Amino acid sequence: MSRSITRTLGAVAVAAAMTVSLAACAGKKAPAGSADAGGQHKLVFGFSQVGAESGWRSANTKSIQDAAKAAGFELKFSDAQQKQENQIAAIRSFIQQKVDVIGFSPVVTTGWDTVLKEAKTAGIPVILTDRAVDTQDKTLYKTFIGSDFVKEGTSAGQWLVDTEKSATGPVNIAELEGTTGSAPAIDRKKGFEDVVLKDPKFKIIADQTGDFTRAKGKEVMEAFLKAHKDINVLFAHNDDMAVGAIQAIEEAGLKPGKDIKIVSIDGIKDAFQAMADGKIEEVVECNPLIGPQIMDLVQKIHDKQDVPDRVLSKEGVFSKDQAAAELPNRQY
Ligand code: GZL
């Protein structure tokens, strides 16, 4: 066979091989994970967590990690240290690694469309957990599993209205808000204030973010107490800030539960202990233990099954007279 024909056939063979491999790359993404014992591709789930700012968050992280292991998924986990830029970088890394499904709890509600469009273009489905995003394009994620934060705020507000129904007022309220721009901070504030501020005897005289942490909650409460000698009630958007505030109240020589009544949200063990000690009056539960439900949704999404647009977490409301009995049951 002439040299020129051999060369031509060789070039055609190489081109054909390239086309197949490119088609393989373009059509079916190479899976990111390893195979399991049976040689099956392990589902790879990339998850970007807000951070480790509170007892709630630590319990949520453990629930996700334990549930991913139980489901036999390969979990690529990233802690964003409460910075949106770190979450965006993590999601881009998951896209580069061609994970099967991406999940994240968005630290704030805005600024996600660009990176979520990149995930959609890469053909990687996204699940929102715990907190929502503010987007017009609902095709950017498959489902959102988390609490109804407005309802949590309403529950806290209704407790205060019921507790103070015979008071003529003024009832002066200090509000320790969660992370500025986060769904729980926005919605808990809305739910609480929509109920409470209907009655002019209730006045919010101090209102600032404590970023959901104990340290910041204590620091801001110290400032509140320096500026105001007439605080009657503290509404804390989470228990960690409430526990920090209790330290500030006691260091100021005041009695939490007597001089300042506290209502908080999450339901961590330390808050139940504070209720049992008479320092917190009411805790609205916010359930972090949603790992198993998340993995069930991840599997369904991966298998191209339909999933609900919205999955609500189940949770309750507890008052201090229930605390001692409930404390042994608390899982976080
Ligand atoms: C609520 C969650 C909040 C908790 C805080 O679902 O996003 O973030 O209330 C946590 O404890 O920091």
Side-chain angles (χ1 to χ4, degrees), residues 16 23 37 81 140 232-234 236 256 288-289 321 325:
Q81 296 170 331
L140 292 178
N232 306 115
V233 176
L234 168 66
L289 308 178
D321 56 4

Side-chain angles (χ1 to χ4, degrees), residues 53-54 56-57 130-131 149 184 188 212 237-238 266 286:
E53 72 282 1
S54 66
W56 188 98
R57 187 65 55 199
D130 169 30
R131 298 182 182 179
F149 300 131
R188 287 170 181 170
F212 283 132
H237 287 194
N238 85 328
D266 273 354
C286 177

Side-chain angles (χ1 to χ4, degrees), residues 64-86:
I64 287 166
Q65 291 173 332
D66 291 353
K69 189 169 180 203
F73 296 166
E74 181 184 332
L75 176 66
K76 294 182 182 292
F77 183 90
S78 157
D79 173 338
Q81 296 170 331
Q82 287 189 284
K83 291 183 174 63
Q84 180 173 30
E85 61 268 28
N86 292 346

Side-chain angles (χ1 to χ4, degrees), residues 14-249:
V14 168
M18 291 242 335
T19 306
V20 167
S21 61
L22 283 174
C25 288
K28 177 94 185 69
K29 63 179 174 61
S34 55
D36 62 16
Q40 291 296 314
H41 162 64
K42 276 179 101 167
L43 189 153
V44 183
F45 180 41
F47 188 81
S48 168
Q49 179 61 292
V50 165
E53 72 282 1
S54 66
W56 188 98
R57 187 65 55 199
S58 303
N60 181 246
T61 289
K62 186 175 185 313
S63 179
I64 287 166
Q65 291 173 332
D66 291 353
K69 189 169 180 203
F73 296 166
E74 181 184 332
L75 176 66
K76 294 182 182 292
F77 183 90
S78 157
D79 173 338
Q81 296 170 331
Q82 287 189 284
K83 291 183 174 63
Q84 180 173 30
E85 61 268 28
N86 292 346
Q87 288 199 289
I88 290 171
I91 292 169
R92 286 197 167 119
S93 168
F94 296 148
I95 292 169
Q96 288 301 319
Q97 297 176 69
K98 297 184 171 60
V99 301
D100 294 299
V101 183
I102 292 171
F104 74 118
S105 172
V107 61
V108 292
T109 55
T110 55
W112 301 102
D113 277 21
T114 301
V115 74
L116 292 179
K117 281 176 185 156
E118 291 167 20
K120 185 179 177 183
T121 303
I124 302 176
V126 174
I127 174 173
L128 289 186
T129 77
D130 169 30
R131 298 182 182 179
V133 298
D134 184 6
T135 178
Q136 298 304 315
D137 185 351
K138 300 300 181 197
T139 69
L140 292 178
Y141 58 91
K142 292 294 181 188
T143 186
F144 164 40
I145 174 170
S147 302
D148 179 342
F149 300 131
V150 174
K151 184 164 177 269
E152 292 171 348
T154 303
S155 297
Q158 194 55 54
W159 166 81
L160 182 57
V161 166
D162 296 345
T163 301
E164 299 293 343
K165 63 176 172 297
S166 55
T168 51
V171 178
N172 295 324
I173 302 162
E175 187 170 352
L176 272 173
E177 296 192 13
T179 302
T180 303
S182 69
I186 293 165
D187 289 352
R188 287 170 181 170
K189 180 180 184 69
K190 172 174 172 40
F192 180 82
E193 294 182 1
D194 282 355
V195 168
V196 165
L197 297 184
K198 281 181 192 150
D199 184 335
K201 76 181 177 187
F202 293 108
K203 301 200 183 311
I204 296 176
I205 62 169
D207 182 359
Q208 190 178 326
T209 181
D211 212 16
F212 283 132
T213 70
R214 280 183 203 209
K216 195 85 173 122
K218 180 183 179 191
E219 182 190 314
V220 173
M221 192 66 201
E222 285 166 348
F224 284 171
L225 290 166
K226 284 195 178 75
H228 303 278
K229 300 304 173 202
D230 53 355
I231 296 171
N232 306 115
V233 176
L234 168 66
F235 169 44
H237 287 194
N238 85 328
D239 294 340
D240 286 75
M241 294 190 293
V243 170
I246 285 170
Q247 289 170 6
I249 292 167

